Amino acid sequence: MASGFTHKWERLIEEQDSGGLRRVLPSDLIGLHAVLPKVGVSRATLLRMVTNGTFISPLNLGVRRLLWRRGDVDAWVASRTARPPLSSGHSI
């Protein structure tokens, strides 16, 4: 395509980080519908977890577009599966 048009998924996304500016490739990002099965919760629960700080904040690419870095989500899931299950405190 020589038209000069660049689709938003073909561009690099630049994000301000504490260490300066870093670039994220679109292939490194996953949307809400890819995150939900990895985390194993409903959409409402995931968004509540983001709000209360128990899950990674997404990159906002607009009002209706939330994306997460694939590596961050995988690391979060791995950290959760590496923990022993929490005791409910109830005896059977």
Side-chain angles (χ1 to χ4, degrees), residues 30 33-41 70 73-74 76-77:
I30 56 175
H33 294 290
V35 171
L36 293 175
K38 287 178 173 275
V39 178
V41 298
R70 183 184 314 275
V73 173
D74 291 342
W76 187 90
V77 169

Side-chain angles (χ1 to χ4, degrees), residues 73-92:
V73 173
D74 291 342
W76 187 90
V77 169
S79 74
R80 294 294 174 172
T81 56
R83 289 187 190 180
L86 296 175
S87 172
S88 65
H90 299 291
S91 58
I92 300 177

Side-chain angles (χ1 to χ4, degrees), residues 2 10 14 16 21 38 45 53 58 62 76 78 84:
E10 295 171 356
E14 295 182 343
Q16 187 65 40
L21 198 61
K38 287 178 173 275
T45 299
W76 187 90

Side-chain angles (χ1 to χ4, degrees), residues 44-79:
T45 299
L46 182 75
L47 296 177
R48 189 177 320 112
M49 290 167 63
V50 168
T51 300
N52 68 25
T54 58
F55 190 70
I56 310 154
S57 294
L59 303 172
N60 288 311
L61 294 184
V63 176
R64 302 185 74 160
R65 191 67 173 151
L66 301 175
L67 297 171
W68 285 264
R69 287 182 212 93
R70 183 184 314 275
D72 291 349
V73 173
D74 291 342
W76 187 90
V77 169
S79 74

Side-chain angles (χ1 to χ4, degrees), residues 3-43:
S3 67
F5 175 76
T6 303
H7 190 273
K8 67 180 177 180
W9 287 104
E10 295 171 356
R11 294 189 312 235
L12 291 176
I13 298 165
E14 295 182 343
E15 175 190 358
Q16 187 65 40
D17 203 3
S18 60
L21 198 61
R22 70 184 197 176
R23 294 174 187 245
V24 180
L25 293 173
S27 61
D28 295 333
L29 301 173
I30 56 175
L32 181 65
H33 294 290
V35 171
L36 293 175
K38 287 178 173 275
V39 178
V41 298
S42 70
R43 178 183 185 275

